[in-house]
Amino acid sequence: MLRLVASLLAALWLSTTSTARAEGLINDDGLHTQAWFAQSLLDLRDDLAEAKAAGKRFVVIWEQKGCPYCRDLHTINFADAKLADWIRQRFHILQLNLRGDREVTDFDGTAMPEKDLARKYRITFTPTIQFFPEDVKEGAGKSGMDIEVARMPGYFRPFHFISMFEYVWDKRYAGSQTFQDYIVEKSAAGGK
């Protein structure tokens, strides 16, 4: 009987620790997050310049507390170490809160709370991921919405999620190929 109780307690402990591990980190705003996301002074021009200096592309992920798809983004997509490592090596990611109050400076120099910037960028649901050009000069004096090169509206499952990052990394958006055409091409080539 004592062995049975010890076994049940061990199983309970393992299930709660693995659940906590799967849930990932939660920041002060109640958002799921990754330890490797950018620590920023919230000036998007500086973040873009920092990304370029590191040989990376700049991305903003918009999330909100209680969003089940944001949770899936972290507990499914970013929980895949291979996928997360590939993205971390190539992208400088800033997480913003759709309903947040932190002051952010847009590429055009305008400073406002996160929630106002979200409205300015027409971010209406989460997660939404914005991909920006490689060079600050491309955005000089313009709003981030005017210079984004791609947008991931909502939660994408891992295949489509990594494919969007590859699409941006390979600059496929610069030609006439749409993301949908890229997915068809990748799928036909045996991509998974």
Side-chain angles (χ1 to χ4, degrees):
M1 178 70 169
L2 193 54
R3 273 191 175 156
L4 178 61
V5 171
S7 294
L8 289 173
L9 287 174
L12 179 62
W13 179 79
L14 284 173
S15 71
T16 58
T17 57
S18 63
T19 299
R21 217 176 301 123
E23 289 297 317
L25 302 172
I26 297 184
N27 69 17
D28 293 341
D29 286 341
L31 306 180
H32 288 81
T33 191
Q34 301 296 312
W36 50 271
F37 279 0
Q39 298 303 310
S40 172
L41 296 176
L42 301 177
D43 186 322
L44 301 183
R45 298 165 298 187
D46 292 344
D47 286 314
L48 179 58
E50 185 178 330
K52 181 178 177 159
K56 296 181 177 187
R57 297 296 302 267
F58 179 52
V59 172
V60 171
I61 294 181
W62 292 92
E63 299 185 57
Q64 64 181 315
K65 182 179 180 178
C67 167
Y69 299 110
C70 300
R71 181 195 63 232
D72 290 351
L73 174 70
H74 292 275
T75 61
I76 297 171
N77 297 20
F78 287 133
D80 179 332
K82 185 177 177 184
L83 181 150
D85 287 344
W86 190 91
I87 292 171
R88 186 175 65 230
Q89 291 171 12
R90 293 166 179 82
F91 291 87
H92 178 88
I93 297 179
L94 174 64
Q95 181 182 49
L96 294 178
N97 184 344
L98 180 73
R99 301 180 188 287
D101 291 317
R102 297 181 301 167
E103 186 171 282
V104 182
T105 302
D106 194 359
F107 295 99
D108 64 8
T110 307
M112 64 192 72
E114 291 164 288
K115 60 189 170 196
D116 293 342
L117 186 65
R119 276 193 291 278
K120 181 179 178 181
Y121 285 6
R122 295 189 184 127
I123 307 295
T124 56
F125 53 90
T126 57
T128 294
I129 302 176
Q130 293 179 284
F131 298 86
F132 293 100
E134 292 180 285
D135 199 324
V136 174
K137 293 174 191 168
E138 294 180 51
K142 297 179 185 173
S143 168
M145 192 174 128
D146 296 330
I147 65 166
E148 71 181 30
V149 297
R151 180 181 284 212
M152 188 182 306
Y155 174 71
F156 284 23
R157 292 188 175 154
F159 171 77
H160 291 86
F161 182 74
I162 191 67
S163 296
M164 177 62 94
F165 279 86
E166 292 168 347
Y167 175 79
V168 171
W169 182 254
D170 293 337
K171 300 178 196 164
R172 297 292 190 101
Y173 60 83
S176 60
Q177 187 178 42
T178 65
F179 177 63
Q180 291 79 6
D181 291 339
Y182 176 73
I183 288 294
V184 169
E185 176 187 301
K186 184 175 176 180
S187 296
K192 292 185 179 184

